[in-house]
Amino acid sequence: RKEVEQDPGPFNVPEGATVAFNCTYSNSASQSFFWYRQDCRKEPKLLMSVYSSGNEDGRFTAQLNRASQYISLLIRDSKLSDSATYLCVVISNFGNEKLTFGTGTRLTIIP
Amino acid sequence: NAGVTQTPKFRILKIGQSMTLQCTQDMNHNYMYWYRQDPGMGLKLIYYSVGAGITDKGEVPNGYNVSRSTTEDFPLRLELAAPSQTSVYFCASRDPRGSSGANVLTFGAGSRLTVL
């Protein structure tokens, strides 16, 4: 089993719709979780951290489910500009040096 | 703050040539990383460093070398370029101290390398 797994997609979603995707992780000792966004041919950029209690930033909501070992990202009222690849990142408590990336979920918002 | 700066942005190499990808950060981050990303694929860790004078191998270190003589700089060297090293290379840094927000990984803009 991979340390961090994501559905690669692509998710093709009409503008204005709500879309959600998950990221599962195998190490139960993982402590820190993040969602990054990567546009085509660009570097990944932090979208949001994922806190234990869940957190929201505008149209974006991130949640953590420790029991089932996954994090989720919900995008409401999707915009054309949301088209990108979304990467989840997990930092395990042990060592705290290496970050593990998922392979990313590609999202395309359709006009 | 410039953040993480990588040079060059683009480079074409012939098989067997050597080159160094430069990476520098001005955020006083202890941790620095080199990733490669092949087309349509995820990021793979090549090498990382937790501080000046300390480096360690990641998932795919073969064919690469690194050094970390200062906190700011973390160059990646390719000694004998091979077509399999055609990829986009990203350098990144972070400061693991403090709150979880301080764990944010900041990337450079990437270096696109083609080996022919």
Side-chain angles (χ1 to χ4, degrees):
Chain A
R1 183 183 173 184
K2 288 184 181 177
E3 286 186 67
V4 178
E5 288 196 81
Q6 292 184 254
D7 183 341
F11 285 60
N12 298 316
V13 173
E15 193 175 5
T18 295
V19 60
F21 24 83
N22 293 338
C23 167
T24 59
Y25 59 95
S26 61
N27 186 347
S28 60
S30 298
Q31 291 295 316
S32 301
F33 309 88
F34 306 89
W35 283 105
Y36 275 72
R37 171 197 169 121
Q38 186 174 24
D39 294 299
C40 189
R41 301 171 79 86
K42 298 283 191 180
E43 74 274 24
K45 292 185 178 177
L46 179 69
L47 178 66
M48 56 199 305
S49 303
V50 185
Y51 302 126
S52 296
S53 55
N55 47 303
E56 190 173 305
D57 182 3
R59 299 181 293 107
F60 297 83
T61 300
Q63 294 197 311
L64 167 63
N65 185 318
R66 284 198 183 275
S68 300
Q69 294 184 206
Y70 72 88
I71 62 173
S72 64
L73 179 67
L74 179 81
I75 306 174
R76 289 180 298 277
D77 187 25
S78 54
K79 313 288 185 193
L80 295 176
S81 58
D82 294 333
S83 297
T85 296
Y86 291 84
L87 306 166
C88 68
V89 182
V90 176
I91 301 177
S92 297
N93 193 45
F94 175 76
N96 201 29
E97 303 95 356
K98 288 187 282 189
L99 298 85
T100 305
F101 282 81
T103 53
T105 297
R106 181 185 283 184
L107 173 66
T108 301
I109 306 300
I110 303 165
Chain B
N1 284 354
V4 179
T5 303
Q6 289 183 236
T7 56
K9 285 187 168 40
F10 304 93
R11 183 74 185 268
I12 298 175
L13 282 180
K14 293 182 180 177
I15 294 172
Q17 284 187 317
S18 301
M19 76 157 299
T20 300
L21 299 178
Q22 302 290 346
C23 176
T24 187
Q25 52 93 8
D26 61 0
M27 298 172 284
N28 201 32
H29 286 172
N30 284 333
Y31 290 10
M32 295 187 74
Y33 306 80
W34 274 106
Y35 291 92
R36 62 175 285 174
Q37 187 175 36
D38 298 330
M41 305 295 283
L43 291 153
K44 293 184 179 178
L45 181 64
I46 306 171
Y47 270 95
Y48 68 100
S49 168
V50 300
I54 306 168
T55 62
D56 215 336
K57 295 178 180 179
E59 299 173 72
V60 291
N62 291 345
Y64 306 95
N65 277 302
V66 293
S67 60
R68 186 92 183 271
S69 56
T70 66
T71 299
E72 295 78 17
D73 301 307
F74 190 40
L76 177 73
R77 182 147 182 90
L78 286 71
E79 290 294 348
L80 291 169
S84 61
Q85 294 177 303
T86 294
S87 191
V88 179
Y89 292 83
F90 289 105
C91 179
S93 73
R94 73 181 178 105
D95 180 355
R97 298 165 294 183
S99 67
S100 61
N103 265 320
V104 170
L105 193 65
T106 301
F107 284 87
S111 297
R112 192 171 298 274
L113 178 66
T114 301
V115 182
L116 300 175

